[in-house]
Amino acid sequence: MHTETLENSLEPMLEVNGLNKSFLLPDGSLLHAVDDVSFKVQKGSFLGLVGESGCGKSTIAKLLVGLLTKDSGEIIINGEKKEKFDKDYYKKIQMIFQMPQDSFNPRQRLKDCLVTVQTNFGIEKEVAKSRVEELLAMVRLPAEYANKYPVRMSGGECQRAAISRALAIEPDILICDEVTSALDVSVQAQVVELLRKLQKEKELTVVFITHDLALAGGLCDRILVMDSGRIVERGSADTVLKAPKENYTKRLLDAVLM
């Protein structure tokens, strides 16, 4: 487990400082979806970002990968402040979504999806083709799945395909936004186990976003708990699960242990 001392003593792979994002509501008021959020993630570690629906955790994910524009704040990757969401940025950070079927081109077979993402980042087409079987094996999908359309796969299979696509360009950081919430319990366990295995093998830095505090506790080194756009509690997974300080955190834990 990573302690507060360790977190502060090493240069993080991902650092977020004073991140803010607000949305204008129909009545003219502002919703502060992300309110002065700061955190660090060390290289090769799992950070859990936990909270109820609407707390702002998925907004943070979208800010990290440029799907939303931040109002203010800094995003720093491996010591370098990032302002441009270009190919160099996306070589370092990739995201896996809650509904993987929606993130694939429905007209492309899986092999074409995997080749396209590689060639988009400068890998020669023949090299990209030669890696397809390896990328499928990495997520425990049979080679014949290369000819399948992702939208015709089961939820668990499609999520495995999404993981394969995200890792095809060998990023340093993986953002996982509620990647198990649409899956049944047995498939959830398989996907979580796969992520844990890949994270260790590839020394990935992972931000794992979930509403399930117990799930985060079993997977992550550290946990941040969010409520109403702010981080209300942070610490090692053991500390947050066994000795939560905030009533909100205690309610989240009670909800999954009932």
Side-chain angles (χ1 to χ4, degrees):
M1 297 295 176
H2 293 270
T3 64
E4 290 287 351
T5 301
L6 181 59
E7 180 185 60
N8 293 327
S9 65
L10 300 176
E11 183 175 279
M13 176 58 70
L14 173 65
E15 182 175 359
V16 171
N17 293 321
L19 197 62
N20 288 281
K21 179 64 179 179
S22 296
F23 297 99
L24 184 64
L25 299 177
D27 64 3
S29 63
L30 283 178
L31 171 65
H32 298 287
V34 177
D35 190 359
D36 194 28
V37 166
S38 298
F39 59 87
K40 300 176 182 180
V41 195
Q42 300 303 330
K43 176 179 173 60
S45 68
F46 250 106
L47 177 75
L49 187 56
V50 183
E52 295 175 304
S53 178
C55 72
K57 58 189 188 297
S58 290
T59 301
I60 288 178
K62 292 173 183 176
L63 292 171
L64 290 176
V65 297
L67 293 177
L68 290 173
T69 303
K70 60 184 171 60
D71 296 336
S72 60
E74 295 180 329
I75 298 171
I76 301 169
I77 295 180
N78 204 18
E80 182 180 352
K81 183 177 177 181
K82 297 294 185 179
E83 294 293 346
K84 290 177 62 178
F85 294 95
D86 53 15
K87 286 187 178 180
D88 286 339
Y89 185 91
Y90 292 119
K91 283 181 181 178
K92 295 179 172 65
I93 186 167
Q94 286 286 302
M95 182 167 169
I96 306 170
F97 298 87
Q98 178 179 358
M99 302 299 293
Q101 291 92 340
D102 295 340
S103 69
F104 282 99
N105 183 339
R107 297 181 180 181
Q108 279 191 323
R109 297 180 190 274
L110 182 51
K111 63 181 179 182
D112 298 319
C113 298
L114 293 174
V115 169
T116 297
V117 71
Q118 293 179 80
T119 56
N120 283 346
F121 284 88
I123 297 174
E124 292 186 4
K125 191 169 186 178
E126 291 307 311
V127 174
K129 287 180 178 179
S130 72
R131 295 183 68 226
V132 168
E133 188 171 336
E134 172 192 343
L135 291 170
L136 293 178
M138 177 180 67
V139 295
R140 301 172 187 167
L141 286 176
E144 57 265 27
Y145 273 56
N147 289 311
K148 285 197 173 189
Y149 291 96
V151 292
R152 296 192 179 278
M153 296 178 185
S154 70
E157 291 169 344
C158 195
Q159 196 60 283
R160 288 172 184 270
I163 295 169
S164 177
R165 181 184 58 182
L167 297 183
I169 58 170
E170 301 181 345
D172 297 312
I173 302 166
L174 194 60
I175 310 297
C176 301
D177 186 15
E178 294 280 12
V179 296
T180 62
S181 63
L183 308 175
D184 65 42
V185 175
S186 63
V187 178
Q188 281 184 17
Q190 293 170 13
V191 170
V192 166
E193 192 273 331
L194 176 63
L195 284 171
R196 183 186 287 113
K197 175 178 179 290
L198 291 171
Q199 185 265 339
K200 289 180 179 179
E201 289 178 353
K202 298 180 177 298
E203 294 187 325
L204 289 166
T205 303
V206 180
V207 178
F208 188 80
I209 296 168
T210 180
H211 62 277
D212 189 332
L213 185 53
L215 175 61
L219 183 63
C220 301
D221 304 305
R222 296 183 49 75
I223 291 176
L224 308 179
V225 180
M226 284 196 71
D227 182 27
S228 301
R230 299 183 66 88
I231 295 173
V232 297
E233 186 156 358
R234 67 178 77 209
S236 71
D238 280 347
T239 299
V240 173
L241 261 67
K242 295 178 181 178
K245 297 177 181 178
E246 299 294 323
N247 287 331
Y248 176 76
T249 307
K250 294 174 183 177
R251 291 200 305 272
L252 287 179
L253 193 56
D254 287 343
V256 296
L257 296 180
M258 288 177 63

